[in-house]
Amino acid sequence: MTAAELKLFFLLFYSLWPYYLVAVNISHLPGFNGELPFRLETGYVTMDEETGAELFYYFVESERNPNEDPLLLWLIGGPGCSGFNGLALDMGPLRFKADDFDGKLPTIVANPYAWTKLASMIFLDWPIGTGFSYSRNHKDYFTDDVHAKKLIYGFLKKWFLDHPHFLSNPFYMGGESYGGKMATLVAHEIVEGNEGGPQPLVNIKGYLVGNAITGDKVDKNSQVPHAYGLGIIPKEIYKLITKGCVGEDYVKPQNAACAAHLNVFNDYLSEINIYSILDPKCSDEPSSLEEIVGAGRSLEENSAQSLAQPSIPDTSCINGDLLANYWANNHLVRKALQIKEGTRGRWHRCDSNVNTSYIRSIPTSIPYHYNLISKGYRALVYNGDHDLRIPFLGTLEWMKSLGFTILAPWRSWHVNGQVAGYTVMFSNNLTFATVKGGSHVAPGKRPVECGAMFERWISHEVV
Ligand SMILES: *[C@@H]1O[C@H](CO)[C@@H](O)[C@H](O)[C@H]1NC(C)=O
Ligand SMILES: *[C@@H]1O[C@H](CO)[C@@H](O)[C@H](O)[C@H]1NC(C)=O
Ligand SMILES: *[C@@H]1O[C@H](CO)[C@@H](O)[C@H](O)[C@H]1NC(C)=O
């Protein structure tokens, strides 16, 4: 088919398609001073007409040249963490300002190092029950890897049908943490779909994942040497575990002595913020949210609460994660984002019910990485090196196990004349990079360095 025929095909398909996508352009957001300096679209895509399952997304158009710049579909982890994490706590175009928080509506500002300066990005609330995604049927709130990857691919196809002008842009899947596992599975689903399946053809060039879970035992086992290296456990305990747990999966050890050593290890971990070991361990669920959520409720319900002063949490724990929960539960925000009324109660940055009920039915993403990279898709795998949840040691170990040739061994990469991390280049366009000082969400902690890394990689340059 020629491009013109393709366009006609989509127009025809689109006109026959039932009503399945509602999108709005958002020019102003509560807490942001003035007009947004980029195009933000929010929307719902109907995934199942019968049950009323709808996925909510945030779409940010590239500020450079949206007609030609790459398009990324970005997945946050958990499962159950909202795409909003990507928009405002990560590489997205917004950030919270923590220092002037008064317990009410948080202030948001533009992120000068956003990846959306040079790429368009969709941040998805997946699966159903996450962020603002919802269904009328409670069964839709229970899902697993196999259904989730199909759901997300289905979402993407419907989004393209409504935005056909983006079909020719280079497309990349991306994600962090559990979203990194899912991004790999979805990239694979897209490639298979392109090979045999129905239109639309997705112009996929590759994928990128950050502090990505694989599901393999390497994720947990590598915590032990990393915790030792970071000074969380002493040499004695490190030795007890490595000697007593040979061949074990540290998540579910069979040997009793090994299990006992690992209990001690897990006690050490439980005291600290394993996602960012230099930061305090905090809850991101505000204790006094009722008066904020209550603003949208009935008068009677509200009157008692409106008398209470909003309580401000401990300053060392006022961070973007906490402020996101204040912000998204404000009724002004829901109005601005055009959230359908009555679809969701309290919004959670990460929904623990989704995380608990989700079935991790695909045990490891490693074969999917192998398959994609073997087929010539580009891949960037990066890790904040101060994350103990998914240590870079484990990531590099499974990457080496894929068997691709190392073209350039461990060397430093630089930003502004300083070492920003270390990188290993494999054959088949597979790149590994650490982000020095980076956390589980490396671009949130190291925006300048990660911005430079992304710009180089997406421009086909060496990191
Ligand atoms: C949003 O704005 C863009 C660019 O101006 C326009 O092409 C698009 O149709 C608008 N979308 C909606 C849903 O109004
Ligand atoms: C989700 O649950 C897993 C355990 O199944 C846990 O390790 C992880 O921290 C949870 N994630 C979130 C964001 O709560
Ligand atoms: C690596 O990517 C380039 C495009 O950036 C492509 O031309 C080349 O064929 C790829 N190499 C392999 C081995 O897939």
Side-chain angles (χ1 to χ4, degrees), residues 21-26 39-42 61 162-163 165:
L21 187 145
V22 252
V24 284
N25 285 322
I26 313 265
R39 184 162 93 78
L40 171 66
E41 170 188 312
T42 63
E61 198 168 75
D162 197 66
H163 301 74
H165 47 289

Side-chain angles (χ1 to χ4, degrees), residues 285-362:
E285 290 287 350
S287 50
S288 61
L289 199 55
E290 283 310 311
E291 66 254 25
I292 301 168
V293 180
R297 295 210 194 123
S298 72
L299 264 178
E300 296 95 293
E301 264 187 286
N302 235 350
S303 56
Q305 288 157 353
S306 58
L307 295 172
Q309 283 296 315
S311 57
I312 304 173
D314 176 8
T315 45
S316 71
C317 280
I318 297 181
N319 55 32
D321 289 4
L322 177 81
L323 297 183
N325 276 314
Y326 275 91
W327 191 80
N329 281 302
N330 189 297
H331 70 288
L332 293 174
V333 169
R334 294 200 179 198
K335 214 172 193 163
L337 293 175
Q338 308 229 4
I339 301 307
K340 296 184 184 179
E341 263 184 58
T343 54
R344 296 292 282 154
R346 180 162 166 174
W347 182 94
H348 297 273
R349 187 183 68 79
C350 288
D351 190 301
S352 55
N353 289 332
V354 172
N355 190 10
T356 311
S357 64
Y358 187 92
I359 298 172
R360 290 141 174 97
S361 53
I362 297 178

Side-chain angles (χ1 to χ4, degrees), residues 187-366:
H188 188 263
E189 195 74 14
I190 293 170
V191 167
E192 287 206 322
N194 277 351
E195 280 167 3
Q199 305 290 337
L201 268 184
V202 178
N203 187 19
I204 182 165
K205 300 295 182 200
Y207 66 104
L208 62 165
V209 294
N211 293 74
I213 287 176
T214 63
D216 196 85
K217 72 177 184 184
V218 75
D219 295 345
K220 177 78 188 166
N221 288 26
S222 61
Q223 284 181 342
V224 172
H226 198 36
Y228 174 45
L230 289 167
I232 308 294
I233 55 166
K235 192 169 191 173
E236 292 74 27
I237 291 176
Y238 171 70
K239 279 191 163 168
L240 279 175
I241 298 172
T242 44
K243 289 202 176 120
C245 298
V246 176
E248 293 275 5
D249 177 348
Y250 292 7
V251 177
K252 33 182 193 294
Q254 304 297 311
N255 174 300
C258 165
H261 300 321
L262 286 170
N263 280 339
V264 174
F265 176 71
N266 288 328
D267 284 345
Y268 281 103
L269 291 199
S270 70
E271 294 178 316
I272 58 166
N273 178 354
I274 61 165
Y275 298 96
S276 184
I277 68 141
L278 301 180
D279 284 328
K281 184 178 158 91
C282 297
S283 162
D284 69 344
E285 290 287 350
S287 50
S288 61
L289 199 55
E290 283 310 311
E291 66 254 25
I292 301 168
V293 180
R297 295 210 194 123
S298 72
L299 264 178
E300 296 95 293
E301 264 187 286
N302 235 350
S303 56
Q305 288 157 353
S306 58
L307 295 172
Q309 283 296 315
S311 57
I312 304 173
D314 176 8
T315 45
S316 71
C317 280
I318 297 181
N319 55 32
D321 289 4
L322 177 81
L323 297 183
N325 276 314
Y326 275 91
W327 191 80
N329 281 302
N330 189 297
H331 70 288
L332 293 174
V333 169
R334 294 200 179 198
K335 214 172 193 163
L337 293 175
Q338 308 229 4
I339 301 307
K340 296 184 184 179
E341 263 184 58
T343 54
R344 296 292 282 154
R346 180 162 166 174
W347 182 94
H348 297 273
R349 187 183 68 79
C350 288
D351 190 301
S352 55
N353 289 332
V354 172
N355 190 10
T356 311
S357 64
Y358 187 92
I359 298 172
R360 290 141 174 97
S361 53
I362 297 178
T364 169
S365 62
I366 296 174

Side-chain angles (χ1 to χ4, degrees), residues 356-430:
T356 311
S357 64
Y358 187 92
I359 298 172
R360 290 141 174 97
S361 53
I362 297 178
T364 169
S365 62
I366 296 174
Y368 294 81
H369 284 285
Y370 180 79
N371 190 292
L372 288 164
I373 297 159
S374 301
K375 285 183 172 156
Y377 294 97
R378 308 177 64 225
L380 171 65
V381 179
Y382 64 88
N383 280 56
D385 66 5
H386 279 57
D387 177 26
L388 247 181
R389 175 69 182 87
I390 300 294
F392 74 90
L393 288 174
T395 301
L396 191 53
E397 195 177 316
W398 70 251
M399 288 180 77
K400 284 181 175 166
S401 79
L402 299 176
F404 297 105
T405 311
I406 294 180
L407 300 181
W410 185 275
R411 63 156 180 87
S412 55
W413 63 277
H414 298 81
V415 175
N416 297 332
Q418 297 291 335
V419 173
Y422 296 87
T423 176
V424 178
M425 282 276 304
F426 294 86
S427 63
N428 286 59
N429 292 318
L430 170 61

